[in-house]
Amino acid sequence: MSHVQYNHTFVLVLSIGVHFLWNAHDTVHITPLKTSEGGSEGQGHILQRFPEKDWEDNPFPQGIELFCQPNGWQLVPERERPSFFVSVLTDINSERHYCACFTFWEGLDNPQKAEASEVDEDEVPGLVQPAQVFAPKSLVLVSRLDHTEVFRNCLGLIYTVHVDSLSVPLETVIGNLLTCVIPVAGGSQRTITLGAGDRQVIQTPINDSLPVSGSSVAHLFRQLGIVNVLYLFCAALTEHKILFLSSSYQRLTDACRALLAIMFPLKYSFTYVPILPGKLLEVLSTPTPFIIGVNSFFRSETQELLDVIIADLDGGTVTIPECVHISLLPDPLLQQTQTALSMVLDPELEIADHAFPPSSTQPSTLKIQDKEIRAVFLWLFGQLFHGYRWCLHIIRIHPEPVIRFHKAAFLGQRALTEDDFLMKVLDGMAFAGFISERGPPYRPTDLFDDLIANQVERIRQEECSPHKVMNHIKELAEQLFKNENPYPVVAMHKVQRPAESPGHNDPKNLAIFPPLDDVTVQLFIDHAAAKLKTAPPMVKAELNGMVPSGPPLGDIVDRHGHVLANSARRLEVVRNCITYIFDNKMLEAKKLMPAVLRALKGRAARVCLTQELNQHVLQNRAVLDDQQFDYIVRMMNCTLQDCSHMDEHGIAAILLPLVTAFCRKLGAGITQFAYSCVQEHMVWTNMQFWEAMFYSDVQNHIRALYLEADGGEQSIAQESGPAAGGQELLGALELASEQSRLWPTLSKEQQSERVQKEESTVFSQAIHYANRMSYLLLPLDTSKNRLLNRSGIGDVESVSNSYVTNSIAGSMAESYDTESGFEDAESSDVANSVVRFINRFVDKVCNESGVTNEHLKALHTMIPDIVQMHIETLDAVHRESKRLPPIQKPKLLRPILLAGEELVMDGMRVHLISDGREEATGALGGPALLPAEGAIFLTTYRLIFKGTPNDPLVGEQVVTRSFPIASLTKEKRISVSLSMDQFIQEGLQLRSCTFQLLKIAFDEEVASDLAEVFRKHMHKLRYPQHVQGTFAFTVGQSGKTLVEHKTKDKNQSIKTLSKNLVKSAKRTIGRQYVTRKKYSPPTWENRSISEELDQGSLTLSSTIRSSDRQTMSNVVERACCRDYQRLGLGTLSNSLTRSKNEPFRISTVNRMYTVCRSYPGLLIVPQSIPDSTIQRISRCYRQNRFPVVCWRNSRTKAVLLRSAGLHAKGVVGFFKSPNAPSAGPSQADSTSLEQEKYMQAIISSMPSYCEPSGRNTLGGFTSTHMSTSGKTHTDTSVSVSLLKSGKWGSIRGSGRLSAYNPEVGNRLSSKESPQPNGGPSEALFLRQQRAYLYIIGDKTQLKGGKQDSFQQWEVVPIEVCDVRQVKNSFKKLIKACVPSSATSEPSMTFHRCLEESEWMCLLHRVLQVSVLVVELLDTGSSVMVSLEDGWDVTTQVVSLVQLLSDPYYRTFDGFRLLVEKEWLSFGHRFSHRGAQTLASQSSGFTPVFLQFLDCVHQIHLQFPMEFEFSQYYLKFLAYHYVSNRFRTFLLDSDYERIELGVLYEEKGERKNPQVCKSVWDYIDRLNKKTPIFFNYMFSPEDEEVLRPYSFISNLKVWDFYTEETLSEGPSYDWELVQRGRQERLAEEVPDKPDTTTPKSQRHIVWPCYDSRSRVVPDAITKLLQDLQSLEAELGLPPEKWKDTWDKIKANQRAEAKLENRPSFNSSLLMSSNLSHQRRSQGVYLPESGVGSSINLWLTGFPLPLTPRSFEGILFKKGALLKPWKPRWFVLDKTKHQLRYYETRQDKECKGVIELAEVESVIPGTPTMGAPKNIEEKAFFDLKTTKRVYNFCAQDSPNAQLWMDSIQSCLSDA
């Protein structure tokens, strides 16, 4: 390229002004610009421009006057100094024009002054108008070259000539300026002079492609800092909008130039305006990215830009809006770049802490520093883009190179597929330009090409050593500096500046800038042009050369060392397996298969597989038999299955030739290829994948074409994956480079021949790919459009994966396929959608690679035929493949069913997929039990999966998972791809509230409509129309009738024993209640009905008709009544002689369920309250659930009451002061008074009330009383949240006037000294007088009431957990305990999910309130729990309080009674909360009862000796309360149970003894047979009140949520477990014909598969089992386990008494002396699934290490003057010794009597101090050679036994 002369245009722009420009032949437009008069802002005009016509190759930019005064043209009162800056304008061809603008100010007479003089006298004084104003005038030089300093000097010179009136004519200066010839690059220096005694040297850069930055980059870093500039750098590369603000125009231009300089080698291709005039500010709201500079004057107008990053150069800040996310550099690079930059900018930082810092570490000069910073960024790009040339595909060489970049291959091989920053950069416009500019293989090279080619290795080795990096950067910086300053600086500049004389600025001295003579200037221009024509052309040959590619990507191991993950062992397994398959060793291959499929998760193994398979392909074909084919296909599927998004392209590319090679013969002339079995992968529908493959193959073929033409190597490269073309002997790029070099030397014919050959190569590949695509897109069964419908084949746009650099055929031409887009891809048949997909592909690639239109048309006509032909072939293959004998599948195992349980749908073959639990998947060691293949069975009661694991190592095990159909909480369709199989199966994910998850995939043999039928049946069974459709009612009926379940008359199938009761109830109530609408509380209108009954206080016998007597006797026998009598809360006698002095009575006011539908028939109320009052009071409470007594403390006589919360109306009335004046006795007032009377009656029933101890309430104390604990409460507004604090309550007061006294809050929240278990401080609770009655109410309900200081009750408001909270918490808990899929996210770990579920917080809250109530009751105050509707939280709290306070409820009978009374009779809505029927389906599952059981479990863990039942008992109830196997937990209240006739049917009729209707009966029966429910540690202390810790840290996750047993399913249906075990034993027996081989006694116990407590039972259970089996062998009648147990305990007691010191052993069984406060600290035995797991051999007794023949306790007389002491004696036959120990547990022997020394054993006599009350014959003496020992046994037979034993040992000796 010759010295292109850049024409300059000189413009003179004036307010009344001038404007010069420098342009592409050195030329100047002079354009004086003028400001229009009037107004504050004027308009600029061009006065003159030179040359007047545009240069041919360089048009004059429009709108230049705006850019001369970006803030607007204005007149100013004082002259300002001349200014200079350079604007940059971009023209329509993306060429940049640099406008150097020199502005000075000229005086004008003020036009407004003249007008002002004519105004009237009353003009406001003070606004003195200046006589003269100043207008701006600009000289502008427009040029295509950017030489800021030269421009400044030239324009300054013109101004100096004018101001100082030098003798040189201005025309000459401008003429010379316009005719300078400046080379673009080449490094030469050019000296110019404008003819005014001046001289300047212009230095051109050596290489035009490198930006010239001066010191602007260094300035930018100084202004903004490292981090900010890096943010701007990343933002510019990822195409964000960037706005610079500064008050200096020149700084704006420099900053923008600097940002572009550090982006090298990428070029910015969006809007670039370093100085934006104020009038064009609306440009900032453009949607495209930009880099723009704006004067700080307009700062306010930039504030509302929401998506623009604003860099304030003056303030040094970068503001990134919230909505903008900038992707930063990938991690190690970001850190390294920042380090390098700080070493350049602040070299002192590194040595700041050195004790002896070196003397000088100044940073380099600005110019050098500037280059060092740029070198850092060059180094950074070297790291980011190294290896990019290996991912270029050259598709055409002639007539021009067409090059594509393969993004997927680049990212995949760099292992950066996940990197957000790099993805965005590669997708950006700048990178597209980079590829088109640097892609061609034959062109001039620069510094960056050199870096990529030769220094990648160096960068990689040095990247961890900052100092080596710095050395490299300094070398690069030197090269950059050399490029701008190739020669030492020559001091040849000489430019005049205006003289600074004293009168210089005097306006009179300054003449107006004169108009110039354009003819003179034009003469100069013409003269120069003529001279140029005659001058010889200066040709500087361009150095084109081959661009080196650098080291290939394949050698680069990614930083995280993924390659290491695939050990050589795994690759060996893959190779062996393939060898076995091809050697037909199928059994060996089958064994290796699971390991191979696991190994194929790693990339190296996948690559290894493709290489191995390649070796078995001969002449593009490999014919296999059926089994070989099956295995190969499975491996291929697995390989494609686990690919990541980007890597998939790499692996799929290598597999593509293989899937068309492997095949099997199906019949005469019919062959099935592997591609028909690997179509289910999304990669085949990805347009980018096909493009990359196509280009890769085209490159190989074009390379081969030229190799042949050159007679070079004849080996045509086989089709291979992307980027593989480069690694052959002569790479395609090198070849293309060579061809490009030769191109000009070829003749026209040769050139056209080559173009034609290339074009037909591309065309033939297009045909080949049309075939390939039809293979992989047409499904085997063409009637199913599986792949195309699911995938994005229907998308109109396909984002391309790569860039095309030169599209010969222009942009993508109109498709010949007339149908536009694929909107109807769904509806059209397979063939059409495939044809359209291939057409789209062909259009795209052929247009980009320059295929002729004729060929393109031919292709479009060919494609439908290809597809049609292929469909016909496939039909035959499909037909034949159907005839193949199916592969042997495991036989389906039948599940064991309960009595009365029937199959609804027989087994459907499914695969059980592993979920997020690790135990069964082999993640915790051992082979994987899941996935397993088997069948799913739907019965009337359960959903059961039974099958065998896929892993052949555990193939003989049976896997069972099941759950009751009633516990199904969520069903979701999923599609599952099994790594074993080629197809993606439809599946279901079924979640149960028994903490089970079934993830099943239907086998392909299961028709999809059958799966749908299965779902429908499941739904029908899960949500029956009515509760009578549940299993508990239908058990034993035919399953068929259940499936077509018609809703018959609902009482038909039920034996209604209590017809009389319901009839009379119906008569009394009136019809509207009984027609079973959805239950709603009675409305106000209906409530008067109940008043008909109000005939004074009726006694029981007088109110019940004789017909109802029988039913009432049933009511009396209900649990409530039995318990009330036990507690002494009232009796039911038919006579009227009931004792009147009892404080409470049993009321029958609700016997017909008229007062409250959800309460039981009999209720405890104060003696003094008549039934009529009760009916009125009940209306104030929600659901009419008025306060009733449910328990009384036997010691303090305080009572516990329960009720619902008050109706909103009742709340305020209830707390109103009774003395408040009222207009009249209104209804509300009387009710409120009656309520008060009711409370008073309860309070008077308490003995403490009658004592003369005063009537202070808790609220009566003032703050000073409280200060006794050491702190005075000044701030009474306490808020202790139940959740966050471990203290009491959530009690908030706001001064004395609140609804309740804050002192109560302070005391209950016990700020001072909380007990260790989170209870209130003892001192406070016991020291002070309490209120007689505390009402625990809901905080939200109690607003607005006023506490009366004379009332004896107090309200404790607490925050209760809402039912919705429990529901949501439970959902999260299930997901935490049974996750649906494994995850490695740190936010999804088990403990994190558990915490987020807040389940533990809810337990903590309930326990905390319960312990609070226990404390209050224990200190003598009564408590009324009055929360929500009284049937959820109230029930939980009331039940827990009774359990903690009364040991009776911790026994079997007591706990049953507690649940029956508080949960069943008091109407907890089991059906509604459990969503048991269709009606309650929408309300969802809310496990309130499960929460209660969990609380009991927490207490059980802390007090293991206080409960008669084991943890298994609680799990059993937790399972069966949702299972619907029993009727116990169905329906919402006693009323509903009576109406259905369920309540009393359990007595009397026992037609089917197998079918238990009540869970309690079942437990009783089972408990008689086996001790699984019994807690061996049960050893209660009398009347112990438990106070458990309730802090979250003390709570444990219940193992009911996390454990499972895959061998037999849940163990809560006991018969199934027993029968299953018998069957397994029966199977094992016949397998032992040969007893010759010794059989190992060891048994592997597998967590999650075996039930550990069964395989390894605890010692006690084991002994009881042994006893039973011995009894069976001896033919003795079996003794009940309980009797045996009681005998053992009796012996233990006797022994302990005898010993006088209870041994550890007896305390283990009897627990008589463990610490009172919390006995769990004494012994804690972990609970197991069935029965307790005390393993006595391990924990209870020390193992007898030595054989003992006889042992027991004897009293031994000490030596002289020592007392008698009990000792544990052991007679050891083998050692011939009599040893004695302190106690039985002792390991250390106290003494030994050698039997060899014994002379005789004789009966003895008592001596002094012998034990009392023991008969004389119990004494005996042992005489040895040394002394005589005196012994005493427990009794005479025992003594005789000892003497005989010792004698026999002596005689043996």
Side-chain angles (χ1 to χ4, degrees), residues 115-127:
E115 292 164 23
S117 59
E118 296 160 19
V119 181
D120 300 339
E121 300 286 308
D122 56 353
E123 169 82 17
V124 182
L127 279 171

Side-chain angles (χ1 to χ4, degrees), residues 629-645:
F629 184 78
D630 188 53
Y631 278 153
I632 296 293
V633 162
R634 264 166 67 182
M635 287 159 101
M636 284 179 170
N637 271 314
C638 184
T639 306
L640 289 167
Q641 180 67 45
D642 292 318
C643 287
S644 65
H645 164 66

Side-chain angles (χ1 to χ4, degrees), residues 250-426:
Q250 193 52 43
R251 282 196 175 181
L252 287 175
T253 307
D254 283 350
C256 293
R257 179 196 286 130
L259 188 55
L260 261 52
I262 60 177
M263 283 170 67
F264 176 80
L266 299 181
K267 291 187 177 162
Y268 193 71
S269 51
F270 294 102
T271 312
Y272 174 72
V273 187
I275 299 173
L276 184 72
K279 289 203 171 168
L280 302 180
L281 280 180
E282 67 269 14
V283 171
L284 294 177
S285 46
T286 169
T288 53
F290 56 67
I291 295 178
I292 287 179
V294 168
N295 194 303
S296 309
F297 179 72
F298 301 110
R299 182 189 300 276
S300 56
E301 275 131 88
T302 62
Q303 296 307 311
E304 63 269 14
L305 297 169
L306 295 178
D307 57 346
V308 178
I309 297 159
I310 298 177
D312 182 353
L313 295 172
D314 308 343
T317 60
V318 169
T319 314
I320 301 169
E322 280 178 20
C323 62
V324 172
H325 166 70
I326 299 179
S327 306
L328 285 176
L329 290 163
D331 203 11
L333 267 183
L334 181 63
Q335 195 51 50
Q336 288 162 8
T337 311
Q338 281 180 331
T339 310
L341 286 170
S342 72
M343 286 170 82
V344 168
L345 290 162
D346 187 6
E348 290 181 0
L349 174 67
E350 215 187 348
I351 52 160
D353 293 347
H354 287 195
F356 306 107
S359 48
S360 66
T361 49
Q362 287 305 310
S364 331
T365 59
L366 271 184
K367 274 195 170 180
I368 303 285
Q369 206 180 49
D370 180 272
K371 303 303 169 282
E372 286 174 350
I373 294 170
R374 280 179 52 196
V376 172
F377 283 95
L378 198 59
W379 175 87
L380 167 68
F381 276 114
Q383 283 214 307
L384 279 176
F385 291 163
H386 70 76
Y388 81 95
R389 297 197 70 77
W390 292 98
C391 298
L392 295 176
H393 285 163
I394 184 140
I395 318 160
R396 291 289 295 271
I397 301 176
H398 303 318
E400 286 175 46
V402 179
I403 287 179
R404 298 279 312 233
F405 176 71
H406 189 1
K407 185 174 79 181
F410 180 70
L411 289 171
Q413 289 187 290
R414 294 284 304 275
L416 286 168
T417 42
E418 303 305 314
D419 184 51
D420 198 29
F421 173 77
L422 200 54
M423 291 280 279
K424 284 183 180 166
V425 171
L426 297 186

Side-chain angles (χ1 to χ4, degrees), residues 1225-1439:
S1226 67
Q1227 163 81 44
D1229 277 355
S1230 64
T1231 319
S1232 155
L1233 284 167
E1234 283 178 341
Q1235 265 179 286
E1236 247 173 75
K1237 233 185 259 169
Y1238 192 84
M1239 297 294 159
Q1240 197 57 53
I1242 288 165
I1243 289 168
S1244 357
S1245 75
M1246 294 161 59
S1248 58
Y1249 178 69
C1250 314
E1251 292 162 12
S1253 62
R1255 294 183 54 218
N1256 280 333
T1257 66
L1258 246 184
F1261 284 87
T1262 59
S1263 329
T1264 47
H1265 282 83
M1266 297 293 286
S1267 67
T1268 46
S1269 63
K1271 287 193 187 114
T1272 309
H1273 279 273
T1274 45
D1275 171 21
T1276 53
S1277 165
V1278 180
S1279 160
V1280 185
S1281 150
L1282 260 175
L1283 245 174
K1284 294 203 179 85
S1285 100
K1287 298 182 183 164
W1288 282 96
S1290 165
I1291 299 171
R1292 185 189 306 246
S1294 51
R1296 299 289 304 197
L1297 297 173
S1298 70
Y1300 43 83
N1301 194 302
E1303 298 305 336
V1304 188
N1306 289 348
R1307 195 124 9 101
L1308 292 179
S1309 66
S1310 80
K1311 280 271 183 164
E1312 292 81 11
S1313 49
Q1315 269 184 293
N1317 66 339
S1321 66
E1322 286 291 344
L1324 282 174
F1325 263 52
L1326 301 177
R1327 191 171 59 238
Q1328 294 165 350
Q1329 172 64 44
R1330 331 282 311 243
Y1332 292 114
L1333 171 66
Y1334 287 102
I1335 299 170
I1336 309 278
D1338 190 345
K1339 200 172 187 175
T1340 52
Q1341 288 292 311
L1342 295 171
K1343 288 175 184 157
K1346 189 159 68 89
Q1347 182 74 36
D1348 178 44
S1349 53
F1350 293 108
Q1351 287 171 334
Q1352 288 106 344
W1353 60 79
E1354 224 169 274
V1355 179
V1356 181
I1358 62 162
E1359 283 175 14
V1360 289
C1361 43
D1362 187 55
V1363 169
R1364 282 194 304 272
Q1365 250 174 305
V1366 178
K1367 189 190 302 180
N1368 295 336
S1369 171
F1370 180 71
K1371 278 184 192 164
K1372 291 180 187 167
L1373 175 72
I1374 276 199
K1375 282 185 183 156
C1377 296
V1378 190
S1380 58
S1381 57
T1383 174
S1384 53
E1385 282 181 48
S1387 61
M1388 298 296 287
T1389 56
F1390 171 67
H1391 289 103
R1392 174 65 56 84
C1393 294
L1394 183 69
E1395 182 189 22
E1396 282 171 6
S1397 75
E1398 296 191 341
W1399 181 258
M1400 293 306 201
C1401 300
L1402 298 181
L1403 296 183
H1404 157 73
R1405 257 194 244 187
V1406 174
L1407 281 167
Q1408 203 179 24
V1409 176
S1410 308
V1411 179
L1412 164 67
V1413 176
V1414 169
E1415 293 280 359
L1416 293 169
L1417 288 165
D1418 208 41
T1419 48
S1421 299
S1422 291
V1423 179
M1424 176 171 127
V1425 182
S1426 171
L1427 298 165
E1428 35 77 41
D1429 286 336
W1431 49 37
D1432 291 323
V1433 187
T1434 306
T1435 310
Q1436 287 177 333
V1437 172
V1438 168
S1439 317

Side-chain angles (χ1 to χ4, degrees), residues 510-624:
L510 272 183
I512 297 291
F513 196 91
L516 303 175
D517 179 5
D518 40 10
V519 179
T520 319
V521 176
Q522 191 58 45
L523 277 172
F524 268 99
I525 294 169
D526 295 344
H527 180 65
K531 199 169 169 187
L532 266 179
K533 276 182 188 162
T534 56
M538 291 179 61
V539 177
K540 188 177 181 190
E542 270 193 312
L543 295 172
N544 276 352
M546 190 180 83
V547 182
S549 295
L553 269 172
D555 305 347
I556 297 159
V557 177
D558 87 70
R559 246 189 302 274
H560 314 300
H562 288 320
V563 173
L564 304 176
N566 271 292
S567 62
R569 174 83 194 97
R570 286 187 184 174
L571 303 187
E572 195 56 36
V573 168
V574 175
R575 286 194 191 98
N576 290 348
C577 186
I578 293 173
T579 314
Y580 287 145
I581 290 172
F582 286 101
D583 293 351
N584 246 328
K585 296 180 179 169
M586 284 307 163
L587 207 61
E588 299 296 323
K590 186 177 181 182
K591 282 183 193 162
L592 283 184
M593 206 62 187
V596 170
L597 296 180
R598 271 199 292 272
L600 286 175
K601 291 197 184 319
R603 181 179 164 85
R606 295 203 285 265
V607 175
C608 170
L609 171 82
T610 55
Q611 288 165 352
E612 288 293 310
L613 290 178
N614 244 322
Q615 292 171 13
H616 292 279
V617 179
L618 302 170
Q619 284 103 32
N620 296 338
R621 184 63 61 94
V623 184
L624 310 173

Side-chain angles (χ1 to χ4, degrees), residues 734-922:
E734 286 88 334
L735 205 135
S737 162
E738 179 61 17
Q739 290 298 325
S740 305
R741 190 178 63 74
L742 296 174
W743 176 252
T745 63
L746 300 175
S747 66
K748 279 273 175 4
E749 293 78 30
Q750 286 173 308
Q751 286 186 345
S752 62
E753 183 196 347
R754 295 197 170 194
V755 170
Q756 195 186 339
K757 271 189 179 169
E758 283 186 25
E759 196 266 348
S760 28
T761 305
V762 177
F763 175 58
S764 60
Q765 277 302 303
I767 299 173
H768 179 45
Y769 266 81
N771 275 300
R772 270 191 172 178
M773 289 167 82
S774 64
Y775 293 159
L776 280 152
L777 292 174
L778 285 168
L780 188 56
D781 180 359
T782 44
S783 59
K784 285 187 187 165
N785 191 3
R786 288 170 87 177
L787 186 68
L788 298 185
N789 281 353
R790 268 209 332 278
S791 76
I793 265 207
D795 307 347
V796 186
E797 277 306 311
S798 153
V799 181
S800 183
N801 172 38
S802 33
Y803 308 112
V804 65
T805 60
N806 183 354
S807 173
I808 296 175
S811 64
M812 192 167 160
E814 271 303 304
S815 166
Y816 294 101
D817 181 8
T818 47
E819 298 175 56
S820 65
F822 295 98
E823 293 80 355
D824 55 346
E826 294 288 333
S827 56
S828 72
D829 64 340
V830 191
N832 280 353
S833 44
V834 171
V835 166
R836 289 211 303 273
F837 184 74
I838 299 175
N839 273 339
R840 236 174 71 219
F841 166 79
V842 163
D843 278 345
K844 189 165 191 316
V845 296
C846 290
N847 281 324
E848 288 181 356
S849 46
V851 172
T852 59
N853 278 353
E854 294 71 44
H855 275 164
L856 196 50
K857 277 181 185 162
L859 270 172
H860 279 300
T861 47
M862 233 185 277
I863 289 169
D865 302 341
I866 291 174
V867 170
Q868 203 46 53
M869 222 164 63
H870 190 58
I871 286 178
E872 285 162 22
T873 328
L874 278 179
D875 285 344
V877 172
H878 183 57
R879 223 178 20 256
E880 286 298 321
S881 64
K882 278 268 189 281
R883 293 183 189 155
L884 279 179
I887 298 165
Q888 220 40 73
K889 291 189 175 175
K891 83 170 196 287
L892 298 183
L893 304 166
R894 312 290 302 170
I896 306 164
L897 301 184
L898 287 173
E901 179 184 12
E902 289 161 25
L903 281 173
V904 176
M905 279 192 82
D906 210 350
M908 289 191 292
R909 190 179 287 280
V910 294
H911 296 266
L912 180 65
I913 312 296
S914 56
D915 45 56
R917 292 173 283 185
E918 290 182 328
E919 294 85 357
T921 55

Side-chain angles (χ1 to χ4, degrees), residues 924-956:
L924 304 181
L929 291 163
L930 297 182
E933 186 176 355
I936 188 131
F937 298 86
L938 179 62
T939 74
T940 46
Y941 167 49
R942 287 175 304 159
L943 201 57
I944 311 159
F945 170 85
K946 196 161 183 182
T948 51
N950 289 357
D951 193 328
L953 290 177
V954 275
E956 66 282 358

